[in-house]
Amino acid sequence: MSTRRAVPAGIGSYLPAQMVTNEELSRTVDTTHDWIVERTGIHRRHIAAEGEATSDLALHAARRALDHAGIGIGDIDLIVLATATPDQTFPATATRVQQALGMSHGFAFDVQAVCSGFVYALSVATQFIETGKARGALVIGAETFSRILDWSDRSTCVLFGDGAGALVLRGEDGNGNNDDRGVLSTELRSDGAHNAALFVDGGPSTTGIAGHLRMNGREVFKHAVRNLAEIGEAALESAGLAASDVRWIVPHQANARIIASTAQKMGVDMERVIVTVQDHANTSAASIPLALDVAVRDGRVRRGDLLLLEAMGGGFTWGGAVLRW
Ligand code: ACO
């Protein structure tokens, strides 16, 4: 019996033109290149220009993903955009992208799960495709975290960057086994007990202003490795697969040490892990599709490869997805 699958058809990403190295940052922030690299693996990040909004980044990435897929907007009837830095409190940033793409059919909405946002959005879009409610979807992660950073707090402002990535999914019939191309499983978790470890100190119904990111880095680190390894194993298990079957892990790019510790916990060699945190820093919901785009375009990720995506972020939220490229 055939099974409807959400199959990757194209990928694209976008980074703002302005790139800021650690060296440049250390001229305005009390930090050093060596401290940042040693603790995080980050060398540089991109920062959106004045007037450049999350939807602008998302639009560039979406256009590139559609080009890569070789399809027009007429084949897309769903846009799910993951962001914690929307253009406006409402409407959804996804609807701005929808309008800019010239799409007046279908539906578009945002998903808010901070750094896990892309995996959440992928999971949501997959359900719509598998149930036949959508034929083609754009799944986008886009952020302008530079706008919610406290640039006087060296313990957080050095860690993040801006960017966007987009994945085109198309509904196709598979055989129902894990040799099929497409999303084979997704697993999502959250635990609101950890709000105080990573949050933004503002919002429309509290302070009335957007606020700034606050984080207890050590607390986040401690939970990140455990949660990421656990969710990766859970996603693999629900697809009837093991870590040894995976060709590439494409993790959320927060910190090189978190990425390496998680891979080690799962028994996966770093040669099978895509790492771009050195070039992008932590772009929250954009980090996985940005990393995936790099790896597809440089030829590492090929058609038929089994991928594990894993992410964790504020909430806490965490999630994993297994897909065959
Ligand atoms: N430059 C120089 N010194 C710094 C900086 C900086 N940018 N930031 C902090 N320090 C100093 C601190 O003031 C402190 O100094 P002190 O000992 O004199 O008090 C010292 O460095 C150690 O600070 P810690 O916060 O204990 O440093 P730690 O080794 O824990 O590293 C870090 C901090 C990198 C944030 C680490 O905790 C971490 O990576 N946590 C994970 C956080 C993360 O990645 N969050 C992203 C969002 S969640 C996610 O995406 C998974």
Side-chain angles (χ1 to χ4, degrees):
M1 203 184 73
S2 75
T3 303
R4 199 72 175 155
R5 295 289 196 191
V7 177
I11 181 123
S13 66
Y14 177 79
L15 291 163
Q18 191 196 359
M19 190 263 283
V20 179
T21 63
N22 293 342
E23 193 60 49
E24 286 167 321
L25 205 56
S26 70
R27 288 179 210 147
T28 51
V29 178
D30 180 18
T31 190
T32 63
H33 171 76
D34 290 348
W35 191 96
I36 299 172
V37 171
E38 194 184 302
R39 298 297 216 288
T40 71
I42 295 165
H43 286 239
R44 57 192 73 84
R45 74 283 296 140
H46 290 251
I47 304 289
E50 206 181 323
E52 195 174 34
T54 295
S55 64
D56 297 316
L57 276 48
L59 179 62
H60 285 298
R63 286 198 171 123
R64 287 176 181 175
L66 289 168
D67 280 354
H68 188 231
I71 64 170
I73 195 64
D75 293 320
I76 299 294
D77 41 24
L78 166 65
I79 299 174
V80 188
L81 188 149
T83 190
T85 46
D87 291 17
Q88 298 162 287
T89 299
F90 81 82
T93 302
T95 59
R96 301 198 82 178
V97 175
Q98 178 190 25
Q99 192 269 335
L101 287 171
M103 175 181 164
S104 52
H105 60 279
F107 55 113
F109 59 91
D110 289 357
V111 162
Q112 217 286 44
V114 206
C115 299
S116 312
F118 186 78
V119 176
Y120 270 61
L122 179 67
S123 180
V124 169
T126 297
Q127 320 297 318
F128 279 107
I129 288 180
E130 288 179 350
T131 56
K133 295 285 181 194
R135 294 170 297 118
L138 258 171
V139 185
I140 305 172
E143 303 277 16
T144 47
F145 258 51
S146 62
R147 305 271 157 70
I148 55 162
L149 295 175
D150 174 352
W151 288 97
S152 67
D153 175 10
R154 66 176 182 174
S155 70
T156 54
C157 73
V158 303
L159 304 175
F160 297 89
D162 300 336
L167 175 68
V168 175
L169 292 176
R170 226 171 8 200
E172 285 178 18
D173 289 331
N175 295 319
N177 58 43
N178 54 32
D179 291 331
D180 285 347
R181 290 190 65 227
V183 179
L184 301 176
S185 73
T186 61
E187 290 287 335
L188 306 179
R189 308 268 190 279
S190 67
D191 183 354
H194 302 283
N195 184 300
L198 180 53
F199 66 103
V200 168
D201 61 4
S205 85
T206 50
T207 62
I209 50 168
H212 292 111
L213 182 148
R214 307 291 172 205
M215 179 175 71
N216 178 338
R218 290 204 166 189
E219 190 66 13
V220 173
F221 198 104
K222 201 174 70 191
H223 285 88
V225 175
R226 191 174 57 226
N227 288 346
L228 287 165
E230 179 263 327
I231 204 73
E233 302 284 3
L236 285 164
E237 197 183 317
S238 74
L241 292 159
S244 54
D245 297 315
V246 172
R247 179 70 190 88
W248 295 106
I249 294 186
V250 189
H252 167 49
Q253 309 285 319
N255 180 310
R257 290 189 300 148
I258 294 177
I259 293 172
S261 302
T262 306
Q264 189 186 28
K265 209 167 168 61
M266 295 185 72
V268 173
D269 196 281
M270 279 306 285
E271 283 177 6
R272 291 196 283 136
V273 182
I274 306 294
V275 183
T276 54
V277 69
Q278 68 282 359
D279 297 324
H280 304 158
N282 183 345
T283 57
S284 185
S287 91
I288 288 179
L290 264 164
L292 187 53
D293 188 38
V294 167
V296 167
R297 284 171 201 270
D298 71 19
R300 275 178 291 174
V301 169
R302 293 169 189 212
R303 191 182 168 94
D305 282 354
L306 190 73
L307 311 182
L308 171 65
L309 317 184
E310 48 172 47
M312 147 141 183
F316 292 144
T317 56
W318 59 111
V322 176
L323 75 145
R324 194 172 293 286
W325 190 253

